Structure formats: structure tokens, C-alpha cells
Amino acid sequence: MKVLVIGGGAREHALCRSLSLDSDVSALHCAPGNAGIAEVAELHPVDALDGAAVAALATELGAELVIVGPEAPLVAGVADAVRAAGIPCFGPSGEAAQLEGSKAFAKDVMAGAGVPTARSYVCATPEEVEEALDAFGAPYVVKDDGLAAGKGVVVTDDLEAARAHANACDRVVIEEFLDGPEVSLFAITDGTTVVPLQPAQDFKRALDGDEGPNTGGMGAYSPLPWADPKLVGEVMETVLQPTVDELRRRGTPFSGLLYAGLAITGRGVRVIEFNARFGDPETQVVLARLRTPLAGVLLASANGTLADLEPLRWSDEAAVTVVVASHNYPDTPRTGDPITGLDEVAATDAPNAYVLHAGTRHEDGAVVSAGGRVLSVTAVGSGLTEARERAYAAVARIGLEGSQHRTDIAAKAATEA
């Protein structure tokens, strides 16, 4: 089939890489893409937030499946426009994508579905903010109600910092702090059937030891040797299926990728957040382990035929991804710096380690940085220790002036494996 992927980050590069290895994919296109995606897909310029433009491009290319990667186009209703053009689309409607687009909407859905989550208040005035902060106490958890590219959440013991973040947003959700390790679990759904993927853990803080500001994610690994083997089944039963059922009951069926960010607390599993698309950087490690060809799974979601699929097949290998970020990320990052060593990784480390591009572009024949998170260096191995070694060996070959990366991705889990 002819496939069009919308987006231009490392998540989309991971999707395109998997699709390029799928024998059922006869032509692969990406819009707008990046310098790395250009190696496996034909790139096209498009405003990813313009549903009419995306639908027109898909029609022109004769696409038989469109995959919308990022959250902003989904919330903007791009998937609706593609489906209105008669083309199968992987991704929820604009209405259903409010599960990520509005924290308050997500809390309402969870309440209706009986999904376990943190107690919370939705606040729109300074007075409401003060009441909520006082009610929960430190550590304070303050979330921008809308989309914020993974950086709209502040978790702090500093009352002034919590108050300042809350008052800088139009509307916020303030909630109780959830203790315990965090897990990301993706599920593919067609609005009725739910198929879970393998769990992963990502690292939100910029610096080693989970220090520094929140980011969009600095690395991830899968599988989770410390997690209860029953975790996926429990989350399916208490979180994912009830949420999909509740959205269908409301008349806003959710098809596409449902992402549950979870805390494994002393009182059981609690939902931190939902996302309406593949998470970045967890996608990089989850797809590295998926053995079932990807295109047919995503098409089944788009066509409502997931129940007919055979069970997904997974590699026993472990996967680790390390994000290489620009100087000054997550604040205003420096861009335009040349990147070296990519050919050396391809020649020396492949196929066990490879580079997925996030914020890159071609400039005067060279690949240069074009965003905050620049590369996701991903590796597989017989266990987390080998996968880590391979990922960091590849990172060491890459040159990007002023770049930063965490050195402890999956380190603790590898010692527990």
C-alpha cells in the first residue's frame, strides 16, 4: 500500500523506518519530514495543521493510509479532513483527541469511565489556584490544560514556582502528587477493540539523576524488568478498555494510538495523563522490538478491523534510546549547528544501533540541527546492559557542538535485570 506519514520528528522517523521495512508498503511518503526521514521516504512540504492541505496531498499521492504523528494536527482535526476525503487515517478525530488536548476533558472522561487517577482541581482564576495548591500541599503538580509539547507540567516543592506556572496559563489542572515509578503504555484501538503494545519508561528531566527541568523526553527503554508481569493486563482492564468504551458511549469514538502515562503507586496504578498519539521517545524503543509488520496493524485500526488481527509478535531483545539535544534545551535551543558522525554510526554500529532524526535539516549539503531534541540514538541488545552499551557507543561517535544528553538512561533498570 501507499502510505503517507504526517510529521517531522524522531517519532515519525521511527514510524517511517518500521514502515520502510514492511513488505506491504509499496511507496512511503512523509510531510514535512526531516533530513533522516528523507533516507527512507519521499518528502513533501505541507502545513501539518492544515487538514485540507494534508487531505489534498494524500489524494494527489494516491495514499491508501495516512498516519498523523504529532498531537497538534490531531487536535486540529487533520484526521477528520483525511477521512472526509475517503482515505483511511490512523489517528483520532479532533473531538476524541481532546483526551490529550485538554487535561480537564481527560479528567472528566476518566471520572465517567471509573479510571484511577490523581485527585485534581481545574482552576481558571488565581483564587482557585491558591485553594488547590493549599489543598494538596507540596510537592505541587501544576499542568497547563492545553497542549504544551510535553513541557506544560511543573512538579515542584517551591510554592512560588507552582503559583507562577499556574498563573501563566489560561486554565490549569492542579492535582495530588503521585509517588512511584512511571510507565508508558501504548495501545492501538479502532474505537472498540484495544491492542496493547509493550510498556516502556521514558526520562522527562533534562539532567542525570532526574534533575533539571521537564523536557519532551531525554531517552527511554523497553522492556521493564522490574514491572509486574500482570501490569499490561491490569492496565487494559482498569484503564485502556474502559476509556475507549467511555468515549464510544459519549459518541466520540477514539481510534488510533491511546497512550497512558502511568504511576505505579503504593495504592496501585494511577493515570498521570493520556496522549492521543505515539509518545516520543518511547516509540523509538517500542517499535524497535515489534516484529509484526506495522502497516497492517495501523490500517486495521483505521478500518475498524483490529479484532481480526493475529496477536502481535515481539522480539525478546531490549531496546534503549538516548536523545541528543541542542545547547540550551529545553529553553530556547541553538540551531543550525552541523552534525558529524552519522555516516560512521551507519557504517560501524548498524543494524544493532541507528540514529533517528528529530530536529534536523539539510543545509549546504550537510545535516544541521533544527530543533531542541536533535537525534534519538537507538540500540537493541540481548538485554538492557548490551543495548545501553551499543546506544552510548553510537552517541560517542556523533559530533554536535554544545549538545547534551543524559548518561543514565536505563542504567538503574539494567542493574535490576
Side-chain angles (χ1 to χ4, degrees):
M1 72 183 94
K2 296 179 182 177
V3 180
L4 170 62
V5 177
I6 302 301
R11 163 188 45 229
E12 287 75 36
H13 193 175
L15 288 164
C16 285
R17 178 182 181 274
S18 290
L19 292 164
S20 73
L21 299 172
D22 188 335
S23 60
D24 286 339
V25 176
S26 56
L28 182 58
H29 303 270
C30 186
N34 62 38
I37 296 173
E39 297 175 9
V40 294
E42 185 179 342
L43 302 192
H44 305 270
V46 79
D47 178 354
L49 296 174
D50 185 337
V54 171
L57 175 62
T59 301
E60 178 189 334
L61 295 173
E64 293 156 289
L65 174 65
V66 175
I67 300 161
V68 182
E71 60 272 26
L74 290 167
V75 172
V78 167
D80 301 273
V82 172
R83 280 191 277 266
I87 302 169
C89 186
F90 180 81
S93 67
E95 204 171 353
Q98 286 301 311
L99 201 63
E100 177 171 4
S102 168
K103 306 289 190 300
F105 176 79
K107 288 288 187 183
D108 188 59
V109 170
M110 283 188 268
V115 168
T117 186
R119 293 179 298 123
S120 63
Y121 294 100
V122 180
C123 306
T125 68
E127 293 76 22
E128 290 172 346
V129 166
E130 290 303 319
E131 285 182 29
L133 293 173
D134 184 58
F136 289 129
Y140 304 101
V141 181
V142 184
K143 300 181 177 181
D144 189 337
D145 180 51
L147 293 179
K151 297 188 283 289
V153 179
V154 165
V155 181
T156 180
D157 290 319
D158 185 337
L159 177 59
E160 281 304 316
R163 183 183 289 133
H165 181 64
N167 291 329
C169 304
D170 290 336
R171 186 164 78 150
V172 293
V173 172
I174 295 175
E175 62 185 38
E176 66 175 330
F177 176 76
L178 296 174
D179 65 329
E182 295 185 11
V183 174
S184 301
L185 184 61
F186 301 164
I188 291 172
T189 178
D190 55 12
T192 302
T193 301
V194 182
V195 177
L197 305 186
Q198 291 288 302
Q201 185 174 55
D202 79 332
F203 294 75
K204 288 293 186 195
R205 299 285 187 170
L207 307 175
D208 284 4
D210 291 328
E211 299 289 333
N214 262 344
T215 71
M218 294 298 291
Y221 69 94
S222 178
L224 312 182
W226 49 267
D228 188 326
K230 298 175 183 174
L231 175 66
V232 173
E234 180 187 345
V235 175
M236 272 288 291
E237 185 179 329
T238 63
V239 175
L240 297 170
Q241 191 71 56
T243 299
V244 169
D245 291 345
E246 173 68 10
L247 285 163
R248 189 176 67 253
R249 186 188 67 76
R250 291 175 176 226
T252 54
F254 186 106
S255 73
L257 195 290
L258 178 58
Y259 163 129
L262 308 163
I264 313 301
T265 77
R267 294 174 291 131
V269 173
R270 296 289 184 273
V271 174
I272 301 169
E273 64 175 353
F274 282 125
N275 289 337
R277 38 75 195 179
F278 278 103
D280 183 350
E282 300 97 319
T283 301
Q284 289 86 303
V285 292
V286 172
L287 291 187
R289 299 185 58 225
L290 179 65
R291 288 292 167 263
T292 301
L294 183 62
V297 180
L298 303 189
L299 183 63
S301 165
N303 285 340
T305 57
L306 270 181
D308 300 334
L309 274 192
E310 293 182 5
L312 299 181
R313 302 191 310 277
W314 296 93
S315 165
D316 291 331
E317 289 187 310
V320 171
T321 193
V322 179
V323 171
V324 177
S326 293
H327 174 73
N328 206 39
Y329 178 77
D331 294 323
T332 307
R334 192 174 76 202
T335 60
D337 290 315
I339 302 166
T340 61
L342 298 174
D343 291 341
E344 188 180 351
V345 172
T348 307
D349 301 287
N352 295 315
Y354 49 88
V355 179
L356 298 169
H357 291 232
T360 67
R361 68 174 186 269
H362 282 294
E363 190 174 281
D364 298 327
V367 177
V368 303
S369 61
R373 292 185 295 173
V374 181
L375 305 169
S376 285
V377 181
T378 303
V380 295
S382 58
L384 286 174
T385 297
E386 186 175 50
R388 287 190 80 245
E389 289 170 353
R390 287 171 170 174
Y392 280 108
V395 168
R397 301 187 205 282
I398 293 168
L400 174 60
E401 187 179 345
S403 68
Q404 54 178 315
H405 65 271
R406 284 184 57 159
T407 65
D408 62 347
I409 303 301
K412 183 170 181 287
T415 63
E416 299 171 352

